[in-house]
Amino acid sequence: MQTFLLFALIILSVVLMVVAISKLKLHPFIVMTVIAMLVGLVWGILYPDSGLTPAVTIDTVKSGFGSIMTSIGIVILCGTIIGTILEKTGAALTMANTILKLVGKKNSVVAMGAMGYVTGIPVFCDSGFVVLSPISRALASQSNISLAVMATALSGGLYATHCLVPPTPGPIAMAGTLEADLGLTILIGLVVSIPAVIVAILYALKVSSKIDIPANSEYTYEELQAKYGKLPGALHSFSPILLPIILIALASVASFPGNPFGTGFFFTLITFIGKPEVALILGVFLATSLIPSSEKENTLKWVTQGVTDSAAILAITGAGGSFGAILKLLPIADSVGGLVNTGIGILIPFIIAMILKLAMGASTVAMITTAGMMAPLMASMGFTSPVARVLVVLAIGAGSMVASHANDSYFWVVSQFSDMKTEEAYKCQTGMTAVMGITIIILLFIVSLFV
């Protein structure tokens, strides 16, 4: 009975959220904050022994908001500032034109997905999307393609390697918990994530293309060229984005087993400047070097605009963190624990991770929780060979993809940085991530039959 009430409450809360935002046109920040409180209060009334008193509910809503701000608040602020400067100086257009010269307009969507695939290996998908969104917007403008298409392809590319390839925290934690060989996990994960990216790109071209979201570039290439005389060079334009990505990647490598950078001063330096917050702040300073001397007096104005533009994104993302924090206090993991006795092989970790992801929102939490549940059962279920252990890791990763929706901070990062309405984000982001996860588990199930 408890399991039925639990999932009925979660489903009802999500439905109310969608209706309030999409139909009643209420602001997502207010809706998610209120629903998070209501879920906590209702569960506390139904099960007084759960500890979800009104005071605990309010404290959890506040801590959930703060926790998300702790993890990506500075990243969003710095990323928005960088994006504003890249747009104002014409650097974003320079980057777009450089990419288009290399791949051609007809391949711009593929290029965006591939860029996400590579960036998502060392960089958290939230941070990666914030950093790369200026390129997505500029490419959409220069290619005369809906921003929804570019954003979906970029999001899918980032999401694939984020969920399937170490050294992102979820996959690397799963590999450790399930005693899967890290090198083999990286190798197979890189291969398996390719069809996930292909599916995301096809989804962007077939489904997201039906949603018209203009790129809304403030100036055309010709207007900026007339205004400044000469736009920034390609390397200089890319540097505020490349520097954070490289620094974060080096920090990820530094944490590999074997300590490739040692344990001394260089290791300490790399792990410090490779923190996303530090790397993005350095990116902000590098971005200001793009501002021509004739516009230096506008530096503070442009930085302030970036901070102002990030306010709505921060509010909505924080409210999503509040909702997710409340859901984490519900006995969701206990309710799905019985699935391990159903005898359906590689589908079991996928289903558990999928339920946890849909219920709690955070892919990393779903991965780590499911891995912890599966660890004592690996031998009894026959997952003992090195390849079998890796397949379980990837099956959990695939489950954690299905699907990014309103209780996931990444959903709001993608929608807000891409000018998507909530219903459009459900079609683009939620639909795409669901198709990606289902595609990967079908592939893994077929492979498991021969392993």
Side-chain angles (χ1 to χ4, degrees):
M1 184 63 179
Q2 185 187 60
T3 299
F4 172 78
L5 289 175
L6 173 64
F7 287 103
L9 179 61
I10 293 172
I11 293 169
L12 179 61
S13 66
V14 173
V15 171
L16 285 174
M17 191 182 302
V18 174
V19 171
I21 295 171
S22 303
K23 302 299 181 183
L24 303 181
K25 306 300 181 185
L26 298 178
H27 196 279
F29 166 71
I30 300 296
V31 172
M32 283 189 290
T33 304
V34 170
I35 288 180
M37 293 179 184
L38 289 176
V39 169
L41 293 172
V42 169
W43 192 255
I45 292 170
L46 290 174
Y47 296 95
D49 295 337
S50 65
L52 264 175
T53 63
V56 170
T57 296
I58 296 300
D59 287 343
T60 303
V61 168
K62 292 191 295 184
S63 64
F65 189 99
S67 178
I68 286 292
M69 291 300 102
T70 298
S71 62
I72 62 172
I74 294 175
V75 170
I76 288 176
L77 275 162
C78 291
T80 311
I81 293 169
I82 291 173
T84 300
I85 295 174
L86 293 178
E87 175 75 16
K88 297 286 188 181
T89 59
L93 285 176
T94 297
M95 289 187 287
N97 286 333
T98 302
I99 294 171
L100 290 177
K101 285 179 183 177
L102 291 173
V103 304
K105 285 188 177 182
K106 65 179 181 179
N107 296 318
S108 59
V109 180
V110 175
M112 203 73 253
M115 202 178 300
Y117 170 87
V118 174
T119 305
I121 297 170
V123 180
F124 237 71
C125 57
D126 304 67
S127 305
F129 197 91
V130 172
V131 171
L132 294 176
S133 60
I135 300 180
S136 173
R137 190 177 293 273
L139 268 179
S141 176
Q142 293 296 91
S143 304
N144 296 318
I145 293 174
S146 170
L147 181 58
V149 176
M150 286 297 180
T152 302
L154 172 59
S155 172
L158 288 162
Y159 205 53
T161 45
H162 172 83
C163 293
L164 298 172
V165 183
T168 45
I172 202 168
M174 288 192 293
T177 301
L178 299 175
E179 299 180 0
D181 180 83
L182 186 60
L184 192 61
T185 303
I186 293 173
L187 179 62
I188 298 178
L190 285 170
V191 174
V192 169
S193 56
I194 291 174
V197 178
I198 292 173
V199 166
I201 292 171
L202 291 175
Y203 189 94
L205 292 170
K206 298 296 183 182
V207 179
S208 299
S209 59
K210 297 176 182 178
I211 299 172
D212 183 28
I213 301 178
N216 285 333
S217 294
E218 187 170 349
Y219 302 106
T220 65
Y221 184 86
E222 292 74 18
E223 287 171 340
L224 283 167
Q225 207 163 30
K227 184 177 181 180
Y228 298 141
K230 183 182 179 182
L231 296 186
L235 182 59
H236 195 187
S237 297
F238 276 102
S239 61
I241 290 176
L242 288 178
L243 177 67
I245 291 173
I246 291 170
L247 292 178
I248 295 170
L250 287 174
S252 295
V253 173
S255 65
F256 274 15
N259 300 313
F261 295 146
T263 57
F265 172 77
F266 188 64
F267 169 81
T268 303
L269 176 65
I270 288 296
T271 52
F272 174 71
I273 63 176
K275 294 287 186 183
E277 297 80 9
V278 178
L280 265 292
I281 288 174
L282 293 174
V284 169
F285 283 110
L286 199 51
T288 59
S289 69
L290 291 163
I291 302 174
S293 55
S294 61
E295 297 286 341
K296 285 295 182 183
E297 69 273 11
N298 286 323
T299 301
L300 178 59
K301 177 184 175 183
W302 291 352
V303 171
T304 302
Q305 181 180 329
V307 172
T308 303
D309 291 346
S310 69
I313 302 169
L314 289 169
I316 294 170
T317 303
S322 296
F323 185 49
I326 288 290
L327 294 179
K328 288 174 189 174
L329 293 184
L330 305 184
I332 297 170
D334 294 339
S335 297
V336 300
L339 286 172
V340 295
N341 298 317
T342 55
I344 49 177
I346 200 72
L347 297 180
I348 294 172
F350 170 81
I351 293 170
I352 294 173
M354 179 183 68
I355 293 173
L356 293 175
K357 165 65 178 179
L358 288 169
M360 295 191 291
S363 294
T364 302
V365 173
M367 290 185 221
I368 294 172
T369 304
T370 306
M373 294 170 65
M374 290 297 302
L377 303 167
M378 295 290 282
S380 61
M381 294 180 67
F383 301 127
T384 53
S385 72
V387 174
R389 290 183 180 275
V390 171
L391 291 181
V392 173
V393 169
L394 298 179
I396 297 172
S400 72
M401 289 179 171
V402 185
S404 176
H405 66 105
N407 61 355
D408 180 9
S409 63
Y410 189 46
F411 174 89
W412 296 109
V413 167
V414 172
S415 65
Q416 296 303 300
F417 274 90
S418 308
D419 303 338
M420 292 181 187
K421 299 175 183 176
T422 302
E423 57 267 30
E424 293 171 341
Y426 269 101
K427 291 177 183 176
C428 296
Q429 176 71 0
T430 306
M432 179 264 294
T433 53
V435 171
M436 286 176 69
I438 292 170
T439 299
I440 295 306
I441 192 56
I442 291 173
L443 176 63
L444 292 174
F445 180 75
I446 294 172
V447 172
S448 71
L449 298 177
F450 302 95
V451 174

